[in-house]
Amino acid sequence: MSLEQKQNLLVKEIIDKGFNIDNFQKFIDQRHDLEEWDYDELVDVIKKFQDQQNDYFQVLKCNRTIPNAISNLENLTSTVVGYEKVQKGIFMSTYVYFKIETKPINWIVKRTYEEFIALKNMLNKYYTVPNIPNQRKSPVEFTYIKQLRHLQMFLNFILLDQEIRSLPVIQDFLSLDQFQHNQAITFTTLNGDFGIRINKPIACFIKQSDYFLNNVQPLQKKAYKLVKQLMKHMQQQNQTLVQLSDVYKELFKESKAQNARLKDSYIIASHLFEQWSKIQTDNIKILNETIYAQQRFQFHQITPLKDILNQREKHYCQLYEFSNKLKAKKEKLFQQGEIVKWDLDESYLDSFKIEQIKSTPQIAFQCMCKTDNLHLQILKNQFGQINLRAYEAIDYVIKYASLQIKEHLEKFAQSMMITLNQYQKLWTDTLDNLAVS
């Protein structure tokens, strides 16, 4: 193949398709002389370059994470073990403190609900963590139990991420008596660098995720309400069982002077409904601690994911808008032909003559507007960072959610099997008592 044919191939596949010429020259290493390439070899290297450029990936430097006492600790668990109400004064509100125990280093601290939210807000500046719903003041003890479970799930989530748990703010939150609500934290990684990526697979994943999150939220809300409704029905049924037990106890008292067998039947019935009520109480507790708690937590996980997708869309619009304006600016400059206004990137002058640049728009567009090109690259890198972050965050939350659903379903199923055995024993005992009476 002639030199001219090779040049035409490069113009068609590299320049006309908008690939960066300088990047291609770096990609082919030192073999810039086309005479050294045969046609098949050149086609192959062009394809490899195009595949690489379509998957835009770079690694940029950032602050390196400094390990703390819990960074590499095995079997680390932080558990919200309970809550305590403290009256600050006669004219002051009652404060509720949640007690956190961290094993195996035996840290014990007390944190308010507001301090958990403050921690979440600090982390959200650089990381994607589950949302914590706004606190609702209520004198009902069950409200604090629900909050406790949600805060526990929040802790479980952030401690699974080694980079997050290596932050000084996490150690302070779990170990210090006084927690600073407005600590300044910086973005760090374990190895001191972070990736930026733009490619078609991630774009497809983000598009599907956006569709999924928009459609799954109302379904999760419905599931959450239905489970809550189920618990309400179970509680109502439980009250009925208690009332039935009480009624049969009264019947037993009223039948003192009557047949002993009648008295025995009443006491057996009272015992049956009383034990049934106790089992039902356990069922309500199991449902509340497993399926209901997980549904509630999952519902609040959606918000930060949608936030990061909104941030990604904002960065994409900035990149797209600036890119279009720069393209229009280059077209105008090229038509005017005043090369002194082009702000040429001098690195291209080693490969192309001024007349070649001036006469070929594809080459000129890559050479001109050096300052604007650098700004475009910054916007591209910013989008690439939020793009990869969105992908990794959604992927991580989905994996975490699947593990949580499986864990809570297993716990629920195992507990219900125990309940079934209790029911079986109750019916068997009842039948035996009836046979004897």
Side-chain angles (χ1 to χ4, degrees):
M1 174 178 278
S2 67
L3 179 61
E4 184 179 356
Q5 288 174 314
K6 294 177 184 178
Q7 289 174 333
N8 289 336
L9 176 65
L10 290 178
V11 170
K12 177 183 177 182
E13 295 296 328
I14 302 298
I15 296 176
D16 289 352
K17 291 185 177 181
F19 290 103
N20 187 283
I21 301 168
D22 189 45
N23 287 346
F24 180 72
Q25 290 176 335
K26 293 176 181 177
F27 183 79
I28 61 175
D29 200 11
Q30 303 300 320
R31 294 176 60 188
H32 293 174
D33 188 354
L34 288 181
E35 296 288 356
E36 298 181 18
W37 298 85
D38 61 38
Y39 179 76
D40 291 337
E41 191 179 21
L42 190 58
V43 169
D44 185 58
V45 77
I46 288 173
K47 186 178 184 305
K48 290 179 180 178
F49 172 75
Q50 290 174 339
D51 291 341
Q52 184 191 76
Q53 296 303 299
N54 287 330
D55 184 4
Y56 180 75
F57 178 75
Q58 290 191 28
V59 176
L60 303 181
K61 294 297 178 182
C62 66
N63 293 324
R64 191 182 185 93
T65 300
I66 300 175
N68 59 29
I70 60 176
S71 296
N72 302 310
L73 198 62
E74 295 183 1
N75 302 319
L76 176 70
T77 58
S78 284
T79 307
V80 186
V81 295
Y83 65 91
E84 176 185 356
K85 291 190 289 186
V86 178
Q87 183 69 42
K88 288 293 185 178
I90 299 176
F91 300 103
M92 298 180 67
S93 301
T94 300
Y95 281 77
V96 177
Y97 290 92
F98 294 91
K99 184 178 178 182
I100 307 171
E101 291 185 359
T102 302
K103 301 288 186 178
I105 47 182
N106 298 323
W107 288 343
I108 299 177
V109 292
K110 295 178 181 178
R111 296 283 177 251
T112 64
Y113 200 83
E114 289 80 3
E115 286 176 316
F116 272 94
I117 293 178
L119 175 64
K120 182 264 297 184
N121 291 336
M122 284 187 280
L123 293 176
N124 268 347
K125 294 179 181 178
Y126 300 103
Y127 306 92
T128 303
V129 297
N131 192 35
I132 299 178
N134 292 329
Q135 185 178 19
R136 295 182 180 179
K137 303 292 184 181
S138 172
V140 181
E141 298 295 319
F142 187 61
T143 300
Y144 302 129
I145 296 173
K146 288 196 296 185
Q147 292 172 354
L148 183 152
R149 291 170 186 148
H150 197 96
L151 297 178
Q152 177 62 62
M153 290 183 179
F154 172 78
L155 277 183
N156 289 343
F157 185 93
I158 63 174
L159 290 179
L160 279 176
D161 190 313
Q162 192 175 12
E163 284 184 348
I164 294 179
R165 82 181 195 186
S166 298
L167 296 172
V169 68
I170 302 299
Q171 178 170 312
D172 292 350
F173 187 82
L174 297 176
S175 63
L176 300 182
D177 290 336
Q178 299 296 324
F179 177 66
Q180 296 181 13
H181 289 211
N182 298 311
Q183 293 187 42
I185 65 173
T186 57
F187 178 72
T188 62
T189 62
L190 296 174
N191 54 6
D193 55 41
F194 64 96
I196 58 176
R197 194 163 210 147
I198 306 171
N199 62 20
K200 189 174 181 179
I202 287 182
C204 291
F205 178 85
I206 294 294
K207 184 178 180 180
Q208 293 171 350
S209 298
D210 192 30
Y211 177 83
F212 170 74
L213 293 176
N214 285 329
N215 284 276
V216 77
Q217 192 167 29
L219 292 173
Q220 285 189 334
K221 187 175 183 179
K222 184 177 181 179
Y224 170 59
K225 287 185 175 180
L226 287 172
V227 174
K228 190 174 182 179
Q229 183 179 337
L230 175 61
M231 287 181 56
K232 186 176 180 180
H233 290 332
M234 292 173 68
Q235 289 167 346
Q236 290 174 344
Q237 184 189 41
N238 195 39
Q239 291 175 357
T240 303
L241 293 172
V242 171
Q243 291 172 358
L244 276 169
S245 177
D246 290 341
V247 166
Y248 278 106
K249 285 179 182 178
E250 291 296 324
L251 287 170
F252 171 77
K253 292 178 182 178
E254 295 296 332
S255 64
K256 286 183 178 180
Q258 305 304 319
N259 188 289
R261 291 183 180 180
L262 183 61
K263 292 170 57 179
D264 290 344
S265 297
Y266 286 150
I267 200 64
I268 291 171
S270 174
H271 177 76
L272 168 63
F273 290 114
E274 183 179 15
Q275 295 304 310
W276 190 348
S277 171
K278 289 180 179 179
I279 296 174
Q280 185 76 329
T281 300
D282 291 339
N283 288 342
I284 295 170
K285 182 180 179 183
I286 292 166
L287 184 64
N288 183 55
E289 292 179 350
T290 55
I291 308 301
Y292 177 70
Q294 178 57 32
Q295 285 292 342
R296 189 169 184 265
F297 184 73
Q298 266 192 278
F299 177 72
H300 291 292
Q301 279 183 310
I302 298 296
T303 301
L305 294 183
K306 294 185 74 172
D307 288 343
I308 195 172
L309 286 179
N310 289 335
Q311 292 178 36
R312 177 190 177 274
E313 183 66 19
K314 181 180 178 180
H315 280 276
Y316 174 76
C317 290
Q318 290 175 344
L319 173 62
Y320 184 76
E321 182 180 356
F322 186 82
S323 178
N324 284 341
K325 287 182 178 179
L326 182 55
K327 182 179 179 182
K329 179 180 179 180
K330 289 180 177 180
E331 289 175 347
K332 183 177 179 180
L333 288 171
F334 185 79
Q335 291 173 1
Q336 292 173 345
E338 299 179 40
I339 200 167
V340 293
K341 297 181 179 180
W342 284 11
D343 186 19
L344 283 178
D345 187 339
E346 296 179 358
S347 64
Y348 286 93
L349 297 179
D350 295 334
S351 305
F352 303 100
K353 297 178 181 180
I354 291 293
E355 288 303 319
Q356 187 180 9
I357 294 174
K358 192 174 181 180
S359 61
T360 311
Q362 292 87 349
I363 299 176
F365 287 174
Q366 294 194 35
C367 296
M368 65 172 58
C369 301
K370 177 182 177 180
T371 304
D372 289 333
N373 288 338
L374 291 174
H375 183 64
L376 180 65
Q377 187 63 41
I378 291 173
L379 291 177
K380 187 175 182 181
N381 286 345
Q382 288 175 344
F383 172 69
Q385 179 188 358
I386 195 73
N387 191 55
L388 183 60
R389 179 184 164 199
Y391 166 77
E392 292 177 340
I394 294 171
D395 186 57
Y396 178 71
V397 167
I398 289 174
K399 289 179 180 177
Y400 179 80
S402 65
L403 290 173
Q404 286 290 300
I405 292 172
K406 181 180 177 182
E407 177 184 329
H408 284 79
L409 282 176
E410 286 179 347
K411 184 178 179 182
F412 179 72
Q414 289 169 356
S415 299
M416 292 306 292
M417 283 182 64
I418 295 173
T419 296
L420 288 175
N421 290 331
Q422 291 174 336
Y423 273 128
Q424 184 177 15
K425 186 177 185 304
L426 175 61
W427 308 138
T428 302
D429 290 346
T430 301
L431 290 172
D432 290 343
N433 291 333
L434 289 171
V436 173
S437 63

